[in-house]
Coordinates of all heavy atoms in Angstrom, one line a residue:
L97 N -15.0 -9.7 -24.6 CA -15.6 -8.4 -24.6 C -15.7 -7.8 -23.2 O -15.9 -8.6 -22.3 CB -17.1 -8.6 -25.2 CG -17.9 -7.3 -25.4 CD1 -17.7 -6.9 -26.8 CD2 -19.3 -7.5 -25.1
P99 N -17.8 -6.6 -20.5 CA -19.3 -6.6 -20.4 C -19.9 -5.2 -20.3 O -19.4 -4.4 -19.5 CB -19.5 -7.5 -19.2 CG -18.3 -7.6 -18.5 CD -17.2 -7.3 -19.5
R100 N -21.0 -5.0 -21.0 CA -21.6 -3.7 -21.1 C -22.7 -3.5 -20.0 O -23.4 -4.4 -19.7 CB -22.2 -3.4 -22.5 CG -21.2 -3.5 -23.6 CD -20.1 -2.5 -23.5 NE -19.4 -2.3 -24.8 CZ -18.3 -2.8 -25.2 NH1 -17.7 -3.7 -24.4 NH2 -17.7 -2.5 -26.3
T103 N -26.2 -4.8 -20.8 CA -26.4 -6.2 -20.8 C -26.9 -6.6 -19.4 O -27.5 -7.7 -19.2 CB -25.1 -6.9 -21.2 OG1 -24.8 -6.4 -22.5 CG2 -25.3 -8.4 -21.3
D125 N -26.2 -19.9 -21.6 CA -25.7 -18.6 -22.1 C -24.8 -18.9 -23.2 O -23.7 -19.4 -23.1 CB -25.0 -17.9 -20.9 CG -24.3 -16.6 -21.3 OD1 -24.7 -16.0 -22.3 OD2 -23.3 -16.2 -20.6
G127 N -22.3 -17.9 -26.1 CA -21.3 -16.8 -26.3 C -21.1 -16.1 -25.0 O -21.3 -14.9 -24.9
T128 N -20.6 -16.8 -24.0 CA -20.5 -16.3 -22.6 C -19.4 -15.2 -22.4 O -19.5 -14.4 -21.5 CB -20.4 -17.5 -21.6 OG1 -20.8 -17.0 -20.3 CG2 -19.0 -18.0 -21.6
G129 N -18.4 -15.2 -23.2 CA -17.3 -14.2 -23.1 C -16.7 -14.3 -21.7 O -16.1 -15.4 -21.3
S130 N -16.7 -13.2 -21.0 CA -16.1 -13.2 -19.6 C -17.0 -14.1 -18.6 O -16.5 -14.3 -17.5 CB -16.1 -11.8 -19.1 OG -17.4 -11.3 -19.0
A132 N -20.0 -13.1 -17.7 CA -20.9 -12.2 -17.0 C -22.3 -12.7 -16.8 O -22.8 -12.9 -15.7 CB -20.9 -10.8 -17.7
I133 N -23.0 -13.0 -17.9 CA -24.4 -13.3 -17.8 C -24.6 -14.7 -17.1 O -25.4 -14.8 -16.1 CB -25.1 -13.4 -19.2 CG1 -25.0 -12.1 -19.9 CG2 -26.5 -13.9 -19.1 CD1 -25.5 -12.1 -21.4
T149 N -21.5 -21.4 -23.1 CA -20.6 -21.8 -24.2 C -19.9 -20.6 -24.9 O -20.4 -19.5 -24.8 CB -21.4 -22.5 -25.3 OG1 -22.2 -21.5 -26.0 CG2 -22.4 -23.6 -24.8
D150 N -18.8 -20.9 -25.5 CA -18.2 -19.9 -26.4 C -17.3 -20.6 -27.4 O -16.7 -21.6 -27.1 CB -17.3 -18.9 -25.5 CG -17.2 -17.6 -26.2 OD1 -16.4 -17.5 -27.2 OD2 -17.9 -16.6 -25.8
I151 N -17.2 -19.9 -28.5 CA -16.3 -20.5 -29.6 C -14.8 -20.3 -29.3 O -14.0 -21.0 -29.8 CB -16.7 -19.8 -31.0 CG1 -16.0 -20.6 -32.2 CG2 -16.2 -18.4 -31.1 CD1 -17.0 -21.1 -33.1
D152 N -14.6 -19.3 -28.4 CA -13.2 -19.0 -28.1 C -12.7 -19.7 -26.9 O -13.3 -19.5 -25.8 CB -13.1 -17.5 -27.9 CG -11.7 -17.0 -27.8 OD1 -10.9 -17.5 -26.9 OD2 -11.3 -16.1 -28.5
A155 N -11.7 -17.6 -24.0 CA -12.9 -17.0 -23.3 C -13.5 -18.0 -22.3 O -13.8 -17.7 -21.1 CB -14.0 -16.6 -24.3
G177 N -17.3 -24.2 -28.2 CA -17.9 -24.7 -29.5 C -18.8 -23.6 -30.1 O -19.1 -22.6 -29.5
N178 N -19.2 -24.0 -31.4 CA -20.1 -23.0 -32.1 C -21.5 -23.1 -31.6 O -22.1 -24.2 -31.5 CB -20.1 -23.5 -33.6 CG -20.8 -22.5 -34.5 OD1 -20.5 -21.3 -34.5 ND2 -21.9 -23.1 -35.1
W179 N -22.1 -22.0 -31.2 CA -23.4 -21.8 -30.6 C -24.0 -23.0 -29.9 O -23.6 -23.4 -28.9 CB -24.4 -21.2 -31.7 CG -23.9 -19.9 -32.2 CD1 -23.6 -19.5 -33.5 CD2 -23.5 -18.7 -31.4 NE1 -23.1 -18.2 -33.5 CE2 -23.1 -17.7 -32.3 CE3 -23.5 -18.5 -30.0 CZ2 -22.6 -16.5 -31.8 CZ3 -23.1 -17.2 -29.6 CH2 -22.6 -16.3 -30.5
N196 N -26.0 -12.9 -26.0 CA -25.6 -11.5 -26.4 C -24.6 -11.8 -27.5 O -23.4 -11.7 -27.3 CB -25.0 -10.7 -25.3 CG -24.5 -9.4 -25.7 OD1 -24.8 -8.9 -26.8 ND2 -23.6 -8.8 -24.9
P197 N -25.1 -12.1 -28.7 CA -24.1 -12.5 -29.8 C -23.5 -11.3 -30.5 O -23.9 -10.2 -30.3 CB -25.1 -13.2 -30.8 CG -26.4 -12.6 -30.6 CD -26.5 -12.1 -29.2
P198 N -22.5 -11.5 -31.3 CA -21.9 -10.4 -32.1 C -23.0 -10.0 -33.1 O -23.5 -10.8 -33.8 CB -20.7 -11.1 -32.8 CG -20.6 -12.4 -32.2 CD -21.8 -12.8 -31.6
N219 N -14.4 -11.2 -33.2 CA -15.4 -12.2 -33.1 C -16.5 -12.1 -32.0 O -17.4 -12.9 -31.9 CB -14.8 -13.7 -33.2 CG -14.1 -14.0 -31.9 OD1 -14.0 -13.2 -31.0 ND2 -13.7 -15.3 -31.8
A220 N -16.3 -11.1 -31.2 CA -17.3 -10.8 -30.2 C -18.2 -9.7 -30.6 O -19.3 -9.5 -30.0 CB -16.6 -10.4 -28.9
H230 N -25.2 -14.2 -36.8 CA -25.2 -15.1 -35.6 C -26.6 -15.2 -35.0 O -27.0 -16.3 -34.5 CB -24.2 -14.6 -34.6 CG -22.8 -14.7 -35.1 ND1 -22.1 -15.8 -35.2 CD2 -22.0 -13.7 -35.5 CE1 -20.9 -15.6 -35.7 NE2 -20.8 -14.3 -35.9
Ligands
SAM305 C1 -21.0 -9.7 -27.7 S1 -19.9 -10.9 -27.0 C2 -20.8 -11.3 -25.5 C3 -20.0 -11.7 -24.3 C4 -20.8 -11.8 -23.0 N1 -21.9 -12.7 -23.2 C5 -21.3 -10.5 -22.6 O1 -22.5 -10.2 -22.7 O2 -20.5 -9.7 -22.2 C6 -20.2 -12.3 -28.0 C7 -19.5 -13.6 -27.6 O3 -19.9 -14.6 -28.5 C8 -18.8 -15.4 -28.8 N2 -19.0 -16.0 -30.1 C9 -18.8 -15.5 -31.4 N3 -19.1 -16.3 -32.3 C10 -19.5 -17.5 -31.7 C11 -19.9 -18.7 -32.2 N4 -20.0 -19.0 -33.5 N5 -20.3 -19.7 -31.3 C12 -20.2 -19.4 -30.0 N6 -19.8 -18.2 -29.5 C13 -19.4 -17.3 -30.3 C14 -17.6 -14.5 -28.8 O4 -16.4 -15.2 -28.6 C15 -18.0 -13.6 -27.6 O5 -17.5 -14.1 -26.4

Side-chain angles (χ1 to χ4, degrees):
L97 186 95
R100 303 294 201 264
T103 306
D125 172 23
T128 198
S130 62
I133 297 174
T149 72
D150 205 287
I151 193 119
D152 187 306
N178 184 60
W179 300 126
N196 173 19
N219 72 352
H230 296 289

